[in-house]
């Protein structure tokens, strides 16, 4: 006898079999008994055939039959620690807070530099006429900058620790400098987007184009990809467990552009930051972990992966496959070079393992493929005059 026929016969028997003459009338409606029977079969099936089994139990549904694993809630991979729960509550509330933007909203341009900015004249031309739509912050790590533009005058951030703490490439002090810039910029409630730039960065478009690009989308631009090779997951330390698992470890360029909610989250974070402070260092356990390349990509991949674009809006050329990206001298600056950079609409990453896998993603802005880059680096100071000469031409929309 087929299973379906046996079931129907059983149900039919249950409905028609007469009870003993002395049995009192049933007090519960028949539908309750039927429902209990169905639930009993469901639970027995779940017990006998767990969802991971290839012989998964099937149950009745409007679509005929359905795997039981589709009915059961997903099992969490692990329980969160108390610190994670506290962190995620804060992050959730910040992300759920409505974004406040108005005609007075500004972009905070945050310059991380060793000393004076060689391209201040170019930035001065870029900022001119838009004084109510931007703020400037300069973090100089080695010497006090000498400014030639009024837009940069008195915009150096000051800290008691600035004299004592040296910003060193590859170490957590680089992340500390980024967080210090964010802290100063967040003091102005009108700042709604925060762009981190180096002293070798130049703008690729005019101010209005960049302002609209950043202000009219609800995502942050944080470079983030998975690299299974020695310069990616090979830098991971199991001391980061349980909060950071190897499968969530990510890599990316440090030059970010984040909306205000994400900037506040970065400042509020201690849990994930402390993991990178303690266990992501050059030479630790034989690994050369670079904190500024891994902290924010991993952090945002864990707490808000859908809120970032996974690419940086600052272009850099790694095609030479060296420890440092290609640098541009005065003789390299042509209109063709700059037009080529501004026309790129696909983000490219290459893994550091033997496969050298090339990962390509279209740069989607509000669902539409657009040019990826608003800024570019690394340019030698000698290139400033050529860039000034070409600025009006290459920044045309």
């Amino acid at each position: 006898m087929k299973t379906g026929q046996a079931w129907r016969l059983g149900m039919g028997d249950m409905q028609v079999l007469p009870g003993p003459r002395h049995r009192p009338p049933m007090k519960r409606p028949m539908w309750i008994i039927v429902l209990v029977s169905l639930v009993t079969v469901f639970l027995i099936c779940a017990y006998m055939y767990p969802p991971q089994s290839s012989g998964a139990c099937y149950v009745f549904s409007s679509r005929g039959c359905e795997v039981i694993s589709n009915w059961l809630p997903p099992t969490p991979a692990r329980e969160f620690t108390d610190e994670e729960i506290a962190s995620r509550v804060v992050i959730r509330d910040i992300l759920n807070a409505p974004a406040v933007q108005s005609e007075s909203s500004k972009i905070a341009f945050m310059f991380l530099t060793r000393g004076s900015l060689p391209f201040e004249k170019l930035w001065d031309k870029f900022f001119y006429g838009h004084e109510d739509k931007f703020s400037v912050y300069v973090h100089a790590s080695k010497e006090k900058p000498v400014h030639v533009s009024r837009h940069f005058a008195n915009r150096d951030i000051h800290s008691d620790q600035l004299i004592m703490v040296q910003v060193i490439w590859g170490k957590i002090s680089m992340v500390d400098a980024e967080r210090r810039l964010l802290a100063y910029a967040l003091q102005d409630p009108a700042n709604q987007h925060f762009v981190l730039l180096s002293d070798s960065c130049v703008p690729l478009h005019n101010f209005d184009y960049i302002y609209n690009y950043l202000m009219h989308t609800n995502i942050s631009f944080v470079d983030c990809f998975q690299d299974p090779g020695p310069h990616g997951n090979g830098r991971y330390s199991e001391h980061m467990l349980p909060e950071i698992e190897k499968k969530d470890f990510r890599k990316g360029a440090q030059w970010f552009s984040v909306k205000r909610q994400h900037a506040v989250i970065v400042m509020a974070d201690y849990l994930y930051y402390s993991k990178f402070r303690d266990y992501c260092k050059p030479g630790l356990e034989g690994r050369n972990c670079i904190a500024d390349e891994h902290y924010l990509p991993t952090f945002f991949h864990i707490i808000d992966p859908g809120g970032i674009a996974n690419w940086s809006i600052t272009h850099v050329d790694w095609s030479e496959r060296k420890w440092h990206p290609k640098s541009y001298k005065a003789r390299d600056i042509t209109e063709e070079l700059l037009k080529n950079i501004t026309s790129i609409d696909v983000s490219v990453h290459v893994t550091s393992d033997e496969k050298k896998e090339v990962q390509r993603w279209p740069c989607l802005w509000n669902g539409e493929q657009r040019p990826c880059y608003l800024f570019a680096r690394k340019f030698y100071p000698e290139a400033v005059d050529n860039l000034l000469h070409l600025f009006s031409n290459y920044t045309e929309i």
Side-chain angles (χ1 to χ4, degrees):
M1 183 180 294
K2 295 183 179 180
T3 304
Q5 293 173 337
W7 170 252
R8 288 193 295 271
L9 179 59
M11 290 294 294
D13 290 345
M14 185 171 64
Q15 294 176 10
V16 300
L17 283 177
R21 295 183 178 180
H22 63 274
R23 184 176 179 180
M26 296 178 62
K27 296 181 179 180
R28 293 174 179 163
M30 183 62 65
W31 67 268
I32 293 181
I33 298 175
V34 174
L35 180 60
V36 170
S37 300
L38 285 171
V39 171
T40 301
V41 172
F42 182 91
L43 294 176
I44 292 173
C45 192
Y47 176 78
M48 295 178 62
Y49 303 97
Q52 64 270 22
S53 171
S54 58
C57 177
Y58 286 80
V59 294
F60 304 114
S61 76
S62 59
R63 295 182 294 274
C65 60
E66 189 171 319
V67 162
I68 193 171
S69 60
N70 295 335
W71 287 56
L72 299 176
T75 304
R78 62 176 176 82
E79 292 185 3
F80 291 140
T81 63
D82 291 347
E83 292 82 1
E84 280 180 291
I85 293 172
S87 174
R88 287 172 179 263
V89 167
V90 172
I91 290 170
R92 180 196 63 197
D93 284 357
I94 293 172
L95 289 176
N96 288 339
V100 180
Q101 288 194 12
S102 65
E103 294 182 358
S104 61
S105 295
K106 298 189 295 185
I107 298 175
F109 291 86
M110 308 181 302
F111 291 87
L112 188 57
T113 177
R114 291 179 289 269
S116 297
L117 290 158
F119 298 107
E120 271 196 26
K121 289 182 179 179
L122 180 63
W123 285 104
D124 186 77
K125 192 171 184 179
F126 170 78
F127 288 136
Y128 181 77
H130 304 282
E131 285 73 12
D132 59 337
K133 291 187 176 181
F134 71 90
S135 303
V136 170
Y137 303 87
V138 180
H139 185 298
S141 61
K142 289 189 175 181
E143 59 186 34
K144 184 176 176 58
V146 176
H147 298 298
V148 298
S149 165
R150 64 186 178 90
H151 296 122
F152 289 82
N154 301 316
R155 301 309 301 167
D156 302 333
I157 67 171
H158 303 282
S159 171
D160 294 337
Q161 297 182 6
L162 197 55
I163 299 175
M164 298 181 290
V165 179
Q166 188 177 8
V167 178
I168 302 174
W169 177 84
K171 294 191 175 182
I172 198 66
S173 59
M174 185 70 75
V175 175
D176 293 338
E178 297 171 4
R179 287 160 64 98
R180 189 177 295 118
L181 278 164
L182 282 173
Y184 272 79
L186 281 166
Q187 293 180 88
D188 186 347
N191 288 334
Q192 293 296 315
H193 215 94
F194 303 78
V195 182
L196 182 68
L197 300 161
S198 76
D199 51 6
S200 69
C201 284
V202 301
L204 293 174
H205 299 271
N206 64 39
F207 186 91
D208 286 332
Y209 180 96
I210 290 177
Y211 184 89
N212 291 331
Y213 195 108
L214 296 179
M215 287 297 187
H216 294 163
T217 189
N218 193 37
I219 60 172
S220 293
F221 297 90
V222 178
D223 198 26
C224 178
F225 74 106
Q226 188 171 24
D227 179 3
H231 303 314
N233 282 8
R235 297 170 173 175
Y236 172 79
S237 171
E238 290 186 353
H239 291 296
M240 294 183 175
L241 291 170
E243 292 84 2
I244 301 174
E245 301 179 61
K246 190 172 185 178
K247 66 180 180 64
D248 294 321
F249 197 68
R250 292 296 185 271
K251 181 182 178 180
Q254 73 180 105
W255 311 105
F256 61 76
S257 178
V258 297
K259 61 183 182 179
R260 188 175 183 91
Q261 289 167 310
H262 282 160
V264 173
I265 288 172
V266 171
M267 295 309 304
D269 174 51
Y270 176 78
L271 174 62
Y272 298 96
Y273 164 81
S274 65
K275 295 287 185 175
F276 285 89
R277 179 198 61 199
D278 297 339
Y279 305 117
C280 184
K281 304 176 183 180
L284 180 66
E285 299 177 336
R287 303 179 180 91
N288 283 315
C289 189
I290 311 301
D292 59 82
E293 292 183 1
H294 296 284
Y295 166 54
L296 287 183
T298 301
F299 177 60
F300 281 110
H301 173 74
I302 292 173
I303 62 102
D304 191 22
I308 61 173
N310 293 321
W311 84 85
S312 170
I313 53 173
T314 299
H315 175 268
V316 65
D317 185 353
W318 287 99
S319 61
E320 295 178 347
R321 305 289 175 87
K322 297 180 179 179
W323 276 104
H324 297 286
K326 181 178 180 179
S327 297
Y328 300 100
K329 297 183 178 181
R331 65 174 180 268
D332 300 319
I333 308 305
T334 63
E335 187 171 347
E336 181 182 4
L337 168 69
L338 299 169
K339 290 291 187 183
N340 286 340
I341 295 174
T342 57
S343 66
I344 297 171
D345 60 1
V346 175
S347 173
V348 179
H349 296 94
V350 181
T351 62
S352 62
D353 58 356
E354 294 180 354
K355 295 181 179 180
K356 303 296 181 185
E357 179 188 356
V358 179
Q359 302 176 9
R360 300 177 183 273
W361 304 320
C363 295
L364 300 179
W365 182 88
N366 291 346
E368 175 186 353
Q369 190 163 357
R370 297 278 295 273
C372 303
Y373 302 114
L374 305 183
F375 312 97
R377 58 186 302 268
K378 301 175 62 167
F379 292 83
Y380 278 100
E382 66 182 54
V384 62
D385 290 336
N386 289 1
L387 287 167
L388 279 167
H389 176 71
L390 293 174
F391 180 78
S392 298
N393 292 332
Y394 79 77
T395 58
E396 290 180 358
I397 299 177

